[in-house]
Amino acid sequence: PGVAASAMVLYLIEGMAGLPVLSPIGPVGFLHIFGPTGGYLLAYPAAVSIIGSLRQRLGRGFAASAVAAGSGALLILLSGAAWFEILTGQPLGAVLMLTVTPFLAGETLKVAAAAGIASGMRRFRRS
């Protein structure tokens, strides 16, 4: 968890320094981090730390991996929504419809895929 969080912090520092790691177009550096998507980005270090910690505590099977990945995805989505609400002052319902709802189906698929890959890698390493 600590190494993963450190990697995400370095990723954000690269982006704030102006390297094109966050988006190849649009604002760069601090403008990108503190723009409308900043809440999602700033949640990455905490999310990967939580994912790693949960996976260590819960085990390495599919269900444990899905719970860990789902928790991280939820943290990222809610952080993005909170940040967007602060920036825009819109009501919570409208913010959730704009910043969380459109991503739920894709996040569910990504969580399932990540859990499948993580639990499958465990089997692959044993062979």
Side-chain angles (χ1 to χ4, degrees), residues 8-39:
M8 287 293 101
V9 168
L10 289 174
Y11 170 74
L12 294 175
I13 290 171
E14 290 172 348
M16 287 189 282
L19 296 173
V21 295
L22 301 174
S23 176
I25 58 171
V28 295
F30 283 100
L31 293 176
H32 198 85
I33 295 291
F34 295 111
T37 60

Side-chain angles (χ1 to χ4, degrees), residues 62-74:
F62 179 83
S65 297
V67 167
S71 298
L74 185 61

Side-chain angles (χ1 to χ4, degrees), residues 8-110:
M8 287 293 101
V9 168
L10 289 174
Y11 170 74
L12 294 175
I13 290 171
E14 290 172 348
M16 287 189 282
L19 296 173
V21 295
L22 301 174
S23 176
I25 58 171
V28 295
F30 283 100
L31 293 176
H32 198 85
I33 295 291
F34 295 111
T37 60
Y40 300 109
L41 296 169
L42 293 171
Y44 285 1
V48 298
S49 182
I50 287 170
I51 292 167
S53 294
L54 283 174
R55 194 147 183 272
Q56 285 178 344
R57 288 186 185 131
L58 299 176
R60 305 236 183 244
F62 179 83
S65 297
V67 167
S71 298
L74 185 61
L75 174 64
I76 291 169
L77 288 174
L78 293 179
S79 295
W83 185 264
F84 192 78
E85 184 179 24
I86 290 167
L87 287 180
T88 65
Q90 292 184 22
L92 180 61
V95 168
L96 292 175
M97 290 298 293
L98 290 169
T99 62
V100 175
T101 304
F103 303 107
L104 287 178
E107 288 299 316
T108 302
L109 290 172
K110 288 190 281 186

